[in-house]
């Protein structure tokens, strides 16, 4: 077992660091999920009015997927500069970009006003959202992971992960409130803009908190060691280094994300389409079910993170992946029943099982990579996978529903992703006891046996 000699921050300081990461990720996910919910509910009418309703939804989800397409670019750019300049600066920039793009969507003219320019501008703003989110996740989880110690890293690093359900909760809650208090005509005319404009207020709060925390001590130590070697390591591109020496870890991270990402967007985004079109459930009922499920999701993620500190990252992750695969057919059967109670049960159980993958993911990915390439490695592994997973998930699910008028192909699609994730995590090395300051360029800890013929493995990476 590697002794974690990284000096942890004072007890009163760590919660502030966690809060800074959490509020930022909450706001960014609020912005991102708000778009997904609006794409399922109103964007087909406002930006693609000449299409059949289901085709319009498909086109709206195409713009939704465009945000995912930009996330790998965000991961590359933010990862590069985050590994060279630090985590904090890049997190401030990502928050400004995401909040600004979301606020502008709230001001965007619709197709009825400016014609085809409306969906073009909508897609451009969605690309900015995706670029910002591609850089946000890695920095947020690393800021917490690198401030804590190995004994409770899974628990503390899981808190930025709760930003996803918190953002989903906030976005769905605002939309649910508006749809409950406004007529359909009022919501379509102007009500949908309110939650997008609200993002501007949230960003100001997020920046105030995020600017008050310190840079990661692990990163500062690594930067000092690199400078002591007269810049030898700092001159290398983090992207090149991580793909040369830790490509296996990148592939593991990508594979681990498949089931987690696809299942999440099927459960929380596609369900708004499926429940309202195939199960004859009202828009308000579907939103309320996702609202309740997101609240439960938020509560269980830290518990799963704490469990990963006791039993390891891999067992918890594998349990969540297998659980989602087994639950997906009952999930659709419960939604088809059309009652609110069964709809809530379907979403809640699905998100509890998803949380078992999502909670340990932050610490798991952080522990795979050396400090000076950690932002790049974790971000690339997470965000490149999202292009193949979360980006097309609602689109593929909607297309399968349109083609087969059945949930069975969609369930098989999720199960296929689960099998790939089980393989990826199954072949991975357990990382629970690693010291982040001592992870080498091949992903090992110095206390672990190394191949003395490999110069990369013999020398700790900065």
């Amino acid at each position: 077992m590697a002794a974690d000699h990284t000096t942890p921050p004072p007890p009163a300081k760590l919660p502030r660091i966690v809060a800074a990461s959490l509020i930022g990720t909450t706001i960014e996910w609020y912005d991102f999920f708000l778009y997904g919910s609006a794409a399922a509910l109103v964007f087909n009418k406002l930006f693609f009015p000449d299409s059949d309703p289901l085709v319009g939804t498909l086109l709206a989800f195409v713009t939704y997927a465009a945000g995912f397409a930009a996330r790998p670019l965000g991961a590359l750019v933010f990862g590069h500069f985050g590994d060279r300049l630090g985590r904090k600066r890049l997190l401030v920039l990502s928050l400004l970009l995401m909040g600004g793009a979301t606020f502008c969507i709230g001001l965007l003219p619709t197709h009825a006003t400016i014609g085809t320019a409306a969906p073009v501008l909508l897609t451009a703003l969605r690309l900015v959202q995706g670029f910002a989110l591609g850089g946000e996740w890695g920095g947020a989880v690393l800021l917490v992971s690198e401030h804590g110690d190995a004994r409770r890293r899974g628990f503390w690093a899981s808190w930025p992960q709760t930003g996803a359900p918190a953002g989903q909760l906030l976005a769905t809650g605002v939309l649910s409130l508006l749809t409950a208090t406004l007529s359909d005509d009022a919501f379509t005319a102007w009500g949908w803009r309110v939650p997008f404009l609200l993002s501007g207020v949230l960003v100001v709060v997020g920046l105030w908190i995020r600017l008050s925390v310190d840079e990661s001590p692990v990163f500062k130590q690594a930067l000092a060691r690199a400078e002591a070697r007269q810049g030898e390591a700092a001159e290398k591109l983090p992207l090149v280094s991580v793909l040369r020496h830790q490509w296996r870890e990148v592939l593991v991270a990508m594979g681990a994300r498949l089931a987690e990402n696809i299942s999440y967007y099927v459960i929380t985004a596609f369900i708004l389409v499926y429940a309202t079109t195939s199960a004859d459930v009202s828009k308000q009922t579907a939103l309320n079910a996702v609202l309740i499920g997101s609240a439960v999701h938020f509560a269980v993620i830290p518990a799963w993170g704490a469990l990963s500190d006791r039993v390891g990252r891999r067992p918890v992750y594998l349990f969540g992946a297998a659980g989602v695969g087994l639950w997906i057919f009952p999930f659709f059967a419960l939604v088809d029943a059309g009652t609110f109670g069964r709809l809530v049960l379907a979403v809640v159980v699905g998100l509890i099982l998803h949380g078992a993958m999502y909670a340990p993911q932050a610490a798991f990915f952080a522990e795979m990579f050396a400090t000076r390439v950690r932002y790049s490695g974790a971000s690339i592994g997470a965000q490149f996978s999202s292009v193949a997973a979360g980006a097309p998930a609602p689109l593929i699910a909607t297309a399968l529903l349109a083609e087969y008028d059945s949930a069975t192909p969609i369930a098989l699609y999720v199960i296929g992703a689960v099998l790939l994730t089980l393989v990826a995590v199954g072949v991975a090395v357990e990382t629970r006891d690693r010291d982040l300051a001592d992870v080498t360029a091949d992903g090992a800890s110095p206390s672990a046996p190394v191949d003395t013929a490999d110069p990369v493995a013999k020398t700790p990476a900065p």
Side-chain angles (χ1 to χ4, degrees):
M1 181 181 295
D4 193 331
H5 62 251
T6 305
T7 303
K13 194 175 181 181
L14 188 55
R16 187 199 307 172
I17 295 164
V18 172
S21 292
L22 173 56
I23 193 167
T25 54
T26 297
I27 293 169
E28 299 236 7
W29 282 115
Y30 165 81
D31 294 347
F32 208 74
F33 288 140
L34 182 61
Y35 189 103
S37 297
L41 297 174
V42 295
F43 280 177
N44 59 334
K45 304 172 186 175
L46 296 173
F47 294 94
F48 308 98
D50 298 330
S51 304
D52 172 84
L54 194 56
V55 174
T57 301
L58 277 168
L59 293 174
F61 274 138
V62 167
T63 64
Y64 174 76
F68 286 85
R71 283 165 70 170
L73 180 60
L76 292 173
V77 173
F78 280 80
H80 172 80
F81 288 103
D83 281 328
R84 295 175 68 86
L85 303 177
R87 303 6 178 162
K88 178 180 172 179
R89 297 180 189 178
L90 276 298
L91 286 175
V92 170
L93 178 60
S94 69
L95 189 59
L96 285 171
L97 286 174
M98 175 65 87
T102 304
F103 186 82
C104 288
I105 290 175
L107 300 175
L108 195 64
T110 64
H111 187 278
T113 304
I114 60 173
T116 55
V120 171
L121 290 173
L122 180 68
T123 303
L125 291 171
R126 181 61 175 173
L127 289 171
V128 175
Q129 280 190 322
F131 178 78
L133 190 60
E136 162 70 22
W137 180 85
V141 299
L142 294 187
L143 193 65
V144 176
S145 296
E146 293 178 344
H147 270 92
D149 61 87
R151 290 173 300 171
R152 303 191 69 195
R153 185 180 298 128
F155 170 73
W156 288 115
S158 71
W159 279 100
Q161 299 291 77
T162 65
Q168 178 78 72
L169 188 64
L170 190 59
T172 306
V174 172
L175 284 172
S176 182
L177 178 64
L178 289 170
T179 56
T181 56
L182 298 175
S183 66
D184 285 346
D185 289 341
F187 181 78
T188 303
W190 59 269
W192 67 272
R193 297 182 183 274
V194 174
F196 286 92
L197 297 176
L198 181 61
S199 177
V201 178
L202 297 176
V203 167
V204 173
V205 177
L207 284 175
W208 176 67
I209 296 177
R210 188 160 275 187
L211 286 169
S212 67
V213 301
D214 295 330
E215 181 57 80
S216 154
V218 173
F219 174 80
K220 289 192 289 188
Q221 292 167 11
L223 184 61
R225 289 198 298 270
E227 290 174 347
R229 290 199 298 271
Q230 299 179 341
E232 175 187 350
E235 293 174 1
K236 298 178 180 178
L237 290 173
L239 171 63
V240 175
S241 181
V242 77
L243 293 181
R244 177 181 298 167
H245 301 303
Q246 296 196 259
W247 58 269
R248 294 177 183 83
E249 286 77 11
V250 171
L251 291 178
V252 167
M254 292 177 66
R257 282 275 282 173
L258 290 175
E260 177 268 306
N261 224 217
I262 289 174
S263 65
Y264 187 77
Y265 290 105
V266 168
I267 293 171
T268 61
F270 172 70
I271 192 177
L272 299 178
V273 175
Y274 184 80
T276 54
T277 58
S278 294
D280 199 25
V281 173
S282 71
K283 181 191 306 181
Q284 185 64 44
T285 299
L287 283 170
N288 288 341
V290 174
L291 191 67
I292 294 171
S294 296
V296 175
H297 197 210
F298 180 91
V300 301
I301 284 177
W304 286 122
L307 183 62
S308 77
D309 286 328
R310 298 179 64 88
V311 304
R313 318 297 183 215
R314 292 173 65 253
V316 176
Y317 211 116
L318 290 169
F319 174 82
V324 165
L326 293 173
W327 181 249
I328 195 64
F329 272 109
F331 170 83
F332 281 112
L334 288 168
V335 175
D336 286 335
T339 66
F340 179 65
R342 293 184 181 183
L343 186 60
V344 169
L345 178 62
V347 175
V348 166
V349 174
L351 289 179
I352 288 174
L353 294 169
H354 172 271
M357 291 185 283
Y358 199 54
Q361 188 179 98
F364 189 32
F365 288 8
E367 291 159 350
M368 289 182 187
F369 299 98
T371 302
R372 291 305 306 279
V373 299
R374 185 169 292 132
Y375 204 142
S376 296
S379 296
I380 291 169
Q383 304 307 333
F384 272 69
S385 182
S386 71
V387 175
L395 185 64
I396 291 173
T398 304
L400 289 173
L401 179 64
E403 177 68 22
Y404 297 100
D405 193 27
S406 168
T408 298
I410 304 166
L412 294 175
Y413 165 54
V414 174
I415 290 172
V418 164
L419 293 175
L420 292 174
T421 291
L422 290 174
V423 171
V425 179
V427 301
V429 176
E430 180 57 58
T431 62
R432 174 174 58 123
D433 296 317
R434 287 181 176 173
D435 179 356
L436 292 185
D438 284 348
V439 180
T440 61
D442 65 348
S445 171
S447 62
V450 295
D451 181 0
T452 55
D454 183 357
V456 173
K458 290 191 294 183
T459 305

